[in-house]
Amino acid sequence: MISWKKTVLAGCLGLMTVNTLGYDIVDRAKLIDDRFKTQEMLRPYGHDFYLNINGAVTADAMDLKDDADKIGDIDSGDVSNDLDQANQILEKYYDKEQVLRAKIDFGIPIFSFNAFGVNFEPNFRFGGGVLAILTPRKTQSSIETIIDNLDQIPADVRSQLKTCLNGLTAADDGKDLLVECVSNGAITQAQADYVKETYNVDKIPYESSIATTTTTTPSVDVYAKVEAKAGLWFDYTKGEHFFGTFGLYGLGRLDIKKSVDGVLLLGGGGNIDTAENTLINAAIDYRFGYKNSNYSAFAAVEELKLAEISSEDEGTPSFGNSALIRLHGQADYKLSFFKLSPFAGTHMRSGYNLGDGLYLGADWGMHTWEERIALTFRTQLDKEHFTLGAAAKLWLLQLDLQGKFAVKDSVDDIKVSNYYSANFRLFF
C-alpha cells in the first residue's frame, strides 16, 4: 500500500478525477512532461556524459503536502463541519496545478567508429523518472454522487449502497455507511471489505444533511507516471551537413489515476494500491538533421513503439503509447568568446497538437576552452510560460537553473503555475 500523503512527498501521486469541463489531466501531463523534455533536448547529452539529474517543482507543491496532512487529522464528529475545515485548509490551492518531477539518467560512452562514410558515437544510457500533477478543486457533491463515482467497484454494489443510503436517517449521523449497510443486509461484509480495500478507506462517514443533497466538498485531480528507459543511442554525422541520432531501447511505464472525494478523504481515503498497469515496450528514437554554415534544423520522432515486451493484466497506462514528434531549428553566432543561439520549434503527441508545443527563444553567453568553461543564459517563450535560465559549465560538470513563469492565467479554468527546475550533469 502507498499512502496518499506519503505519495505526495515522493512525487508518485494518485487520487481522484472529477473532471472540470474540458480539463483532462492525462493530456496535461503529456504536455507538461514533453515541455520539460524539450528543455532537456536543448542541452544535448553529448558522447561523454555519465550522470544527469533533473528536478522540477511548483512553488506550493510541498506546502500543499504539509497542509494535506492536516485533513487526515480532522475528526470533529460532524461531517459537515469537517468538510468546512478541509475546504479552509485547501482554499489557497484550489483550481491550480501543482507539479513534481524528478529524473535521473546514466550514460556509458562506447568507442566511436566510421562505417559507410558515417561517423557514429554510440552511448549506452539508462535511467528513469517520475511526474506527478495534483489539482485540488471545490466541487458540488453528495454521498450519493460519491457512491456513483466509485467506478472501481461493481455497479450492483454501488446500487445496493445507494439503496441502503436512502434508508438511513439523522439518527445515523457520524456512523460508518459501510457498517450500517452490512448490518441491515444491503451488502455483505465481503463487499464492504472490497470497497475499503479498493479505495483504502477506513469508513464512509454518513451525514444526513449531505446524504442525497449536494454541498461544497474538496476534491483532488491527480495523475502520476513512472517511466524508465535503457538501451543504445547512436549520435551520427555524415559529411559537413547531415547529423542525427538513432536510439533502440526498452521503455517501461506505469501510471495511476484514481478517484477519491472529500467524504472519502475524511474517512481515511486517499491511499492507493500500487499500479498494476506496467507496460514495457521496445521503442526507437530517430532524429534527422541538416546544418549549413550557422544554421541547423532537424525532425525527430521519440518513443515510437516497435513491439510490446511485457504488460500487466490490468491494461496499458493511461499515458498510452503515442510517439512524440519534434521539429526544431536554430542558428549559432560566435564572436570571440561570446555566443548567441536563437531557436524555435514545436512538438506534439496524442493529447495535444503542434500549436500547443510551439516555443521560441535564445541561449546567449560566454565560453572558452572549446566551451569546456561557459556561462549561458536562456530566454524562452511558449504558449503558457516565459522561461529564464542560467547554466554554468566547468569542464566536468554543469549546473542549470530555470524558472518558468506563467504568461497565461488558466487552461480550461485551471490556473497555470510557475515551475522551478534544476539540472546537474557530470561529464567524463
Side-chain angles (χ1 to χ4, degrees), residues 31-101:
L31 180 56
I32 290 170
D33 197 33
D34 289 345
R35 282 176 173 158
F36 281 118
K37 288 179 179 178
T38 296
Q39 300 305 311
E40 296 164 14
M41 180 273 295
L42 290 170
R43 46 176 182 263
Y45 287 115
H47 186 240
D48 57 353
F49 102 95
Y50 70 95
L51 174 64
N52 190 65
I53 301 173
N54 290 286
V57 66
T58 50
D60 295 329
M62 300 314 297
D63 289 339
L64 172 59
K65 181 268 168 188
D66 293 336
D67 286 342
D69 284 344
K70 300 175 183 177
I71 295 179
D73 298 328
I74 298 174
D75 189 10
S76 68
D78 184 321
V79 177
S80 295
N81 180 64
D82 291 348
L83 287 173
D84 287 341
Q85 292 186 52
N87 275 320
Q88 291 174 18
I89 289 172
L90 295 178
E91 184 70 39
K92 65 180 180 180
Y93 306 108
Y94 281 138
D95 300 324
K96 190 172 184 179
E97 288 176 331
Q98 303 296 337
V99 176
L100 289 165
R101 186 177 187 269

Side-chain angles (χ1 to χ4, degrees), residues 45-51 107 109 123 393 395-396 426-428:
Y45 287 115
H47 186 240
D48 57 353
F49 102 95
Y50 70 95
L51 174 64
N123 201 305
K393 183 177 180 181
W395 194 20
L396 298 179
L426 292 177
F427 303 87
F428 281 101

Side-chain angles (χ1 to χ4, degrees), residues 23 58-60 64 92-99 133-137 221 413-418:
Y23 183 79
T58 50
D60 295 329
L64 172 59
K92 65 180 180 180
Y93 306 108
Y94 281 138
D95 300 324
K96 190 172 184 179
E97 288 176 331
Q98 303 296 337
V99 176
I133 302 175
L134 176 139
T135 308
R137 296 184 301 104
D221 195 1
D413 296 325
I414 300 298
K415 298 175 185 175
V416 178
S417 297
N418 297 336

Side-chain angles (χ1 to χ4, degrees), residues 356-404:
D356 295 319
L358 285 170
Y359 60 89
L360 60 88
D363 288 341
W364 50 279
M366 301 167 288
H367 65 91
T368 187
W369 198 10
E370 296 182 350
E371 299 193 24
R372 291 185 179 91
I373 297 177
L375 179 62
T376 303
F377 300 94
R378 173 171 298 163
T379 53
Q380 182 180 336
L381 181 68
D382 60 41
K383 291 184 66 174
E384 296 177 14
H385 292 93
F386 179 67
T387 300
L388 290 174
K393 183 177 180 181
L394 182 60
W395 194 20
L396 298 179
L397 62 86
Q398 175 177 299
L399 177 64
D400 189 340
L401 302 176
Q402 292 187 4
K404 295 179 73 67

Side-chain angles (χ1 to χ4, degrees), residues 34 37 300-303 322-326 347-349 352:
D34 289 345
K37 288 179 179 178
V301 58
E302 301 173 17
E303 301 173 3
S322 59
L324 172 63
I325 308 298
R326 289 193 183 280
H347 53 84
M348 67 163 291
R349 76 163 86 216
Y352 67 91

